[in-house]
Structure formats: C-alpha cells, structure tokens
Amino acid sequence: MRKVIFILAVMCGTFAAKSQEFGAAIHAGYLTEIGAIGAGGDLTYEFNEKFGLTASGTFAVAEEKSIRNKWFALDLNGRYNIVDMWYVLAGGEYLSVTVKTLGLGGGSIGEESSVSGSEFGANLGTGYRYNLMDNVNLFAEVKYVVLEAGYVHARAGIHFDF
C-alpha cells in the first residue's frame, strides 16, 4: 500500500511541476462515525475550469473511557464544478482504523490490547470554494463515505493555488 501512495505522490508532484492549476490545502472536519474532529491536508490538480482531482488525507483520534480510536483516511476524488465555485465530488477512500483498549486506570492496571483493520469505500459529496484573494480560497465540503459502517465527513479549510 505504501508503494501505491508513493507512486500517487510522485505523479501529483510531476503534474504540479508542469501546471499552474496545482494547489494544496489544510483542513479540519467532523467525522460522524468516530465522533471526533480530524485534520489533514489536500493536493489538488485542476484539469480545466470544470474538472479537477483531489488527493487528501485525514487523521482523527477519539478517546472514550479506556478505548482509543485512531482513524487515517486517504481519499482520491474527482470534482466537477457545477456553478461558479460550487462543485460535486465522487471518488474512493482507503480507511485504516486502530482500536486500542487501555485497560484499567489508563493502562496502569490490566493489559492493553490493540486491533487494526482497513477497508476501501466510495465518496459522494458536494462543496463550495470562496475566493479570498488571487491564490487563496476558503472551502467547505460535506461527503458521505460508503463503507461497511458509512459515515458523514464535513470539513472546512483553506486552499492555496500555485
């Protein structure tokens, strides 16, 4: 899996060196299934005024009593601009989940145990970009991720064009 991610990163870097439509973003958002706020970054490539591609990663951690959930989601979404800066998106997601039971007293009494898993799913959503300056945009996005336990991911962030 790491080789695939590396190849995607190299391809995005190659496209970025040859284009003026490349951008990067940072974001924060709420993931309903884990019930936590996550943060991450995006790489964006605009093919033309209507179509674009975004690769993003989000990391979220939630802790309740003696159970800690860690989520890492990698998305690859195609975007289509409908009107002005309003767009729809569709794509795929790779989700890696680690659930750790800390034991009594946060691990001081009893044994810790950990379970990890991953799965692939699909994304469907919509978003809007608001232009602040020439190369700086604010964006908000809501998407539904279709997995075994589907969830809604609402996020907002700041996007920079290069």
Side-chain angles (χ1 to χ4, degrees):
M1 184 64 197
R2 290 182 181 161
K3 291 180 184 178
V4 172
I5 294 169
F6 176 74
I7 290 170
L8 286 173
V10 169
M11 287 174 50
C12 287
T14 303
F15 286 128
K18 295 181 179 180
S19 72
Q20 297 296 330
E21 296 87 12
F22 179 73
I26 55 173
H27 67 266
Y30 184 74
L31 294 84
T32 59
E33 181 67 20
I34 192 173
I37 294 176
D42 298 359
L43 294 175
T44 305
Y45 180 75
E46 301 291 334
F47 295 106
N48 55 36
E49 290 182 14
K50 288 288 189 182
F51 293 99
L53 186 69
T54 300
S56 63
T58 303
F59 182 74
V61 176
E63 191 167 331
E64 186 176 326
K65 297 184 182 177
S66 63
I67 298 175
R68 180 179 299 145
N69 290 314
K70 292 182 184 177
W71 281 29
F72 181 65
L74 290 173
D75 297 311
L76 185 61
N77 295 313
R79 287 193 337 271
Y80 178 74
N81 292 332
I82 295 176
V83 177
D84 193 30
M85 300 291 265
W86 178 46
Y87 58 89
V88 293
L89 64 90
E93 177 172 293
Y94 169 76
L95 177 65
S96 175
V97 177
T98 302
V99 179
K100 187 174 187 179
T101 304
L102 301 175
L104 297 173
S108 60
I109 302 172
E111 293 185 24
E112 294 182 357
S113 64
S114 180
V115 176
S116 296
S118 61
E119 60 184 306
F120 290 93
N123 298 321
L124 297 170
T126 186
Y128 186 79
R129 270 194 201 168
Y130 178 76
N131 189 286
L132 286 177
M133 291 184 267
D134 189 28
N135 294 333
V136 180
N137 302 293
L138 293 178
F139 72 93
E141 192 174 276
V142 176
K143 64 184 171 187
Y144 182 76
V145 182
V146 181
L147 294 164
E148 184 177 327
Y151 68 94
V152 175
H153 185 181
R155 64 192 194 122
I158 188 164
H159 181 269
F160 303 97
D161 293 323
F162 300 112

